[in-house]
Amino acid sequence: MDDNFQKNIINDQPIGFFDSGVGGLTVLDKVKNILPNEKFIYFGDTLNMPYGEKSSDQLIEFAKRIFDFYESKSVKAVVMACNTTSAIVYEKLKNEYSFKIYPIIQSVSKVIASMQLDSIGIFATPATINSHCYSRELNKYSNARVIEISCPKWVKLVENSLITTEECKLALKEKLDEMMQYNPQKIVLGCTHYPYLKDELSKLLPNMEFIDPAIYFAEFIKNDLFLNGIQNKSNRTYPPEFYVSSDPDKFKIVGNMFYDFKDSKVSLVKFSV
Ligand code: DGL
């Protein structure tokens, strides 16, 4: 078997994505746009959502099961389309698997730091905020003042389709008021569920720029695949495969804002514990 033949097999392998639920679709959306010829498999761990309230041991256990699932699917890479696992799990498991693992926070911090802001606000889950992963990563590349604020209610508001309710507006306003006491120049949406709330956030604070890191993450992944020569070289497009650990129908309805599931099947996966 010559080298090229072997390379072609690698190039053709799918890329796995995972998140606790619909959040990672905000990343898949961007990656699919700039890598239209890749095969994608998405896993939403809806049974264990929200990840932001789980312990490190629990998050490592969830991630291991998902990585094992992706090993069985022979993927060439797994995209951690979840800030919480990037903050808590990545360092512990990054060398344990044969595929590449892309963590969102570590992959986007350099480009966010290069915006040369004096102050950056971060909204993220309690687990991400308590880890201080964002301030640690950003401060590797800049001296910006990083203000980290956790938003425990936001993921459930998204997953329960409550985005346009008064309850949601109050929950967003509470955190915006807290953040604006520190007057950041821009605010990073440090949880992949939060782009679902971006329009509502902008209505409450029209002059603020909310950074969705997904676009920078997608560019990082594309560059890395090309740099390593493992991009899919075919001209075809492939419909993504979707899996969840509970309630596929709810996943389709909620995720509709970032993916049109019209003709797509979402399959239920039960891991044996
Ligand atoms: N969307 C994930 C993140 O970026 C997880 C949110 C959660 O389930 O708490 O952190």
Side-chain angles (χ1 to χ4, degrees), residues 13-18 23-42 76-82 102-104 107-108 192 212-226 231-232 237-238 240 258-259:
Q13 286 173 288
I15 300 175
F17 278 68
F18 84 91
L25 295 172
T26 63
V27 178
L28 177 67
D29 175 54
K30 307 287 182 302
V31 176
K32 230 167 65 59
N33 272 343
I34 62 169
L35 288 167
N37 306 116
E38 295 290 341
K39 297 174 182 168
F40 298 112
I41 305 177
Y42 185 95
K76 62 184 173 192
V78 174
V79 175
M80 285 182 144
C82 169
Y102 294 114
I104 183 165
S107 307
V108 301
T192 54
D212 174 1
I215 186 69
Y216 307 116
F217 193 24
E219 279 159 12
F220 181 93
I221 293 164
K222 181 176 178 180
N223 286 341
D224 192 78
L225 292 178
F226 276 74
Q231 75 277 21
N232 195 327
T237 55
Y238 307 85
F258 281 91
Y259 189 81

Side-chain angles (χ1 to χ4, degrees), residues 1-266:
M1 198 187 299
D2 70 27
D3 263 8
N4 281 337
F5 184 53
Q6 196 146 18
K7 263 190 196 146
N8 284 339
I9 294 175
I10 296 169
N11 294 19
D12 201 34
Q13 286 173 288
I15 300 175
F17 278 68
F18 84 91
D19 179 48
S20 64
V22 296
L25 295 172
T26 63
V27 178
L28 177 67
D29 175 54
K30 307 287 182 302
V31 176
K32 230 167 65 59
N33 272 343
I34 62 169
L35 288 167
N37 306 116
E38 295 290 341
K39 297 174 182 168
F40 298 112
I41 305 177
Y42 185 95
F43 184 85
D45 196 5
T46 42
L47 185 66
N48 296 309
M49 186 279 300
Y51 274 6
E53 292 167 24
K54 300 296 188 298
S55 68
S56 299
D57 286 350
Q58 286 174 305
L59 292 168
I60 290 169
E61 209 40 54
F62 301 152
K64 278 184 175 167
R65 279 183 227 157
I66 296 166
F67 286 147
D68 290 348
F69 168 78
Y70 277 129
E71 216 152 44
S72 76
K73 295 274 178 194
S74 297
V75 297
K76 62 184 173 192
V78 174
V79 175
M80 285 182 144
C82 169
N83 292 260
T84 306
T85 48
S86 301
I88 310 293
V89 175
Y90 174 67
E91 280 300 324
K92 303 204 172 71
L93 297 187
K94 66 180 181 188
N95 297 322
E96 306 278 311
Y97 294 87
S98 55
F99 41 74
K100 275 187 154 277
I101 301 175
Y102 294 114
I104 183 165
I105 301 175
Q106 295 84 340
S107 307
V108 301
S109 289
K110 194 171 180 181
V111 56
I112 295 174
S114 74
M115 293 172 187
Q116 300 196 322
L117 303 168
D118 295 329
S119 55
I120 308 173
I122 309 288
F123 281 140
T125 67
T128 302
I129 294 301
N130 291 336
S131 77
H132 298 293
C133 187
Y134 261 105
S135 53
R136 210 170 40 248
E137 289 298 318
L138 288 169
N139 289 145
K140 281 184 188 168
Y141 312 103
S142 98
N143 294 323
R145 183 167 56 92
V146 182
I147 305 115
E148 297 170 291
I149 292 186
S150 75
C151 310
K153 295 179 189 161
W154 290 13
V155 168
K156 281 194 205 143
L157 290 166
V158 172
E159 290 282 346
N160 293 325
S161 296
L162 297 172
I163 292 172
T164 54
T165 62
E166 194 56 28
E167 179 190 354
C168 183
K169 193 171 165 182
L170 287 174
L172 300 186
K173 194 170 168 339
E174 181 197 350
K175 292 297 168 180
L176 285 173
D177 288 349
E178 192 180 333
M179 180 64 87
M180 290 319 288
Q181 289 173 18
Y182 302 94
N183 211 17
Q185 282 172 287
K186 293 185 186 180
I187 299 176
V188 174
L189 301 177
C191 166
T192 54
H193 280 77
Y194 298 173
Y196 287 83
L197 302 167
K198 200 172 177 186
D199 286 352
E200 301 307 313
L201 286 164
S202 294
K203 278 184 212 160
L204 291 166
L205 204 59
N207 295 328
M208 175 56 70
E209 185 182 332
F210 294 98
I211 300 173
D212 174 1
I215 186 69
Y216 307 116
F217 193 24
E219 279 159 12
F220 181 93
I221 293 164
K222 181 176 178 180
N223 286 341
D224 192 78
L225 292 178
F226 276 74
L227 206 67
N228 287 289
I230 54 169
Q231 75 277 21
N232 195 327
K233 291 175 181 161
S234 97
N235 296 322
R236 283 186 55 193
T237 55
Y238 307 85
E241 287 175 31
F242 293 96
Y243 298 89
V244 289
S245 49
S246 80
D247 213 336
D249 291 336
K250 186 177 171 195
F251 176 83
K252 277 187 174 187
I253 294 167
V254 181
N256 184 54
M257 191 190 278
F258 281 91
Y259 189 81
D260 182 0
F261 286 95
K262 215 171 34 262
D263 304 315
S264 315
K265 183 167 180 261
V266 178

